[in-house]
Amino acid sequence: MKPVLLSFHNNGPLGLGGLEDRFNIIRLWKEQDPESVIQQHKNDVVAINCALSHQIGKKLIEALPNLEIIATYSVGFDHIDLETTQKRGIKLTNTPDVLCQETADTGMALLLATARRIVEGDMFVRTGKWYNGKLPLGITLAHKTIGIVGLGGVGSKIAKRCEAFEMEVVYYGPNKKDVPYQYYSNITPMAQDCDMMILTCPGGEATANLVDINVLEALGPKGILVNIARGSVVDQPALVGALQNGVIGAAGLDVFADEPHVPEELISMDNVVLLPHIGSATLETRTKMGQLVIDNILAHFDGKELLTEVVRQK
Ligand code: GLV
């Protein structure tokens, strides 16, 4: 009998065909009663394939005594209970690197769309307002200072793109890096010195509510905030209030505190651009991510080194 792969999603455009020979794949999203299917196969499940909208918590992990590996179709892994996986010695893999270009492009798209009122302009044309009105002016990017929060894989690619737009790049993160950009060890003074700020850091406890009302006040009434990291990095009610009261100027958001729920107040604002968490969502990149998930799972069961293991601090 083949071991069981518990899959929470179809692994993007590539699908799960590449694992069919080796595993009995349970496609949980197709099940009427997922809980009872898990219960029925709990002793046979050796691998989980999930994405960031699937909470892989203590209860589930503990219910699967033979689970060996969790392969997430995302770079972030804040949806997985790391303490429990670590305690059980369960391997964890993610999909870094392959999505950095794409996510950086999404960040730039949001920055441009927000600063230049692209979505508002589109609505302006579609609703016939061009005939008797003027779209408010946008904001220039060139020669403005952009603060990147988290200069990792995605943040570094954003920095290169911002340089090409002739922007001044500065950054905040836990460590100073060997890069030609000014470093801030504290986010608030950086926000004070920035015209725009883009969040690309990981989610999780360490960055929860990092952008609070003090940071938003420091960014100021003309400031633009772009978030392509995690909703948890921003105090969302504070952000809504800051946008309503002119504490900051505008925001471009790909991520939210409780996806897919977006506060009603944001939906009715002109000074925000909203996306449904599509940082890496292109055919090419999602195919590469799916391949990495498959390759990691196969590597594990072939006794080979994992391609992209999430290595945790002991
Ligand atoms: C996207 O948010 C990811 O973690 O891949």
Side-chain angles (χ1 to χ4, degrees):
M1 209 176 67
K2 290 189 273 192
V4 171
L5 167 69
L6 189 62
S7 187
F8 283 76
H9 72 132
N10 201 28
N11 202 36
L14 198 61
L16 293 161
L19 294 168
E20 210 83 63
D21 281 359
R22 302 275 297 270
F23 300 90
N24 170 17
I25 302 174
I26 296 180
R27 291 171 163 82
L28 261 196
W29 70 98
K30 291 192 171 174
E31 297 293 343
Q32 293 276 349
D33 184 356
E35 290 292 329
S36 74
V37 176
I38 294 174
Q39 190 58 27
Q40 198 184 326
H41 294 275
K42 64 178 191 209
N43 293 321
D44 305 320
V45 174
V46 291
I48 284 180
N49 163 33
C50 61
L52 49 87
S53 55
H54 311 118
Q55 291 302 318
I56 310 297
K58 187 172 175 170
K59 188 165 163 246
L60 173 67
I61 297 168
E62 284 185 344
L64 306 172
N66 296 310
L67 181 63
E68 294 182 28
I69 181 168
I70 301 173
T72 184
Y73 174 81
S74 59
V75 63
F77 41 85
D78 45 311
H79 52 298
I80 298 166
D81 183 334
L82 296 185
E83 208 181 303
T84 313
T85 51
Q86 198 153 14
K87 216 186 293 168
R88 285 266 312 275
I90 293 165
K91 299 281 181 197
L92 174 60
T93 65
N94 64 345
T95 58
D97 309 330
V98 292
L99 51 59
C100 292
Q101 304 261 14
E102 220 63 82
T103 310
D105 285 352
T106 304
M108 293 310 290
L110 266 180
L111 184 64
L112 279 164
T114 309
R116 298 298 308 276
R117 300 180 177 268
I118 300 296
V119 177
E120 222 181 318
D122 179 272
M123 287 305 289
F124 194 78
V125 174
R126 286 175 199 264
T127 56
K129 289 192 184 149
W130 198 2
Y131 294 100
N132 52 16
K134 273 206 171 85
L135 186 70
L137 296 174
I139 289 174
T140 302
L141 294 192
H143 312 301
K144 295 282 167 59
T145 299
I146 179 130
I148 301 178
V149 175
L151 201 70
V154 175
S156 311
K157 298 253 184 264
I158 299 255
K160 290 257 172 296
R161 284 155 173 73
C162 288
E163 280 189 88
F165 276 83
E166 299 179 42
M167 302 182 80
E168 183 73 32
V169 175
V170 300
Y171 71 107
Y172 160 79
N175 303 306
K176 186 171 176 352
K177 306 202 166 182
D178 186 18
V179 288
Y181 316 124
Q182 186 180 338
Y183 173 66
Y184 289 78
S185 57
N186 190 322
I187 190 171
T188 311
M190 182 180 83
Q192 189 95 50
D193 292 350
C194 281
D195 300 291
M196 295 152 197
M197 206 161 75
I198 184 158
L199 314 180
T200 73
C201 57
E205 259 173 51
T207 57
N209 286 342
L210 176 68
V211 176
D212 59 11
I213 189 62
N214 298 321
V215 176
L216 295 168
E217 279 172 358
L219 188 58
K222 288 192 183 152
I224 295 178
L225 179 76
V226 171
N227 190 3
I228 52 167
R230 284 289 182 272
S232 60
V233 179
V234 179
D235 176 348
Q236 189 165 279
L239 174 63
V240 170
L243 286 161
Q244 282 171 328
N245 302 324
V247 171
I248 67 165
L253 306 171
D254 185 40
V255 291
F256 303 88
D258 180 27
E259 296 171 9
H261 307 293
V262 175
E264 216 33 68
E265 297 94 322
L266 288 179
I267 288 173
S268 58
M269 286 178 196
D270 286 339
N271 54 343
V272 298
V273 177
L274 307 170
L275 292 180
H277 203 149
I278 55 164
S280 63
T282 63
L283 180 62
E284 294 88 342
T285 293
R286 289 286 169 92
T287 302
K288 287 184 200 155
M289 289 163 66
Q291 189 64 58
L292 204 42
V293 165
I294 291 177
D295 292 346
N296 272 309
I297 293 175
L298 291 177
H300 174 73
F301 290 99
D302 287 341
K304 296 188 182 145
E305 196 179 333
L306 297 173
L307 285 86
T308 50
E309 180 172 9
V310 175
V311 181
R312 287 149 284 175
Q313 274 133 29
K314 294 267 179 280

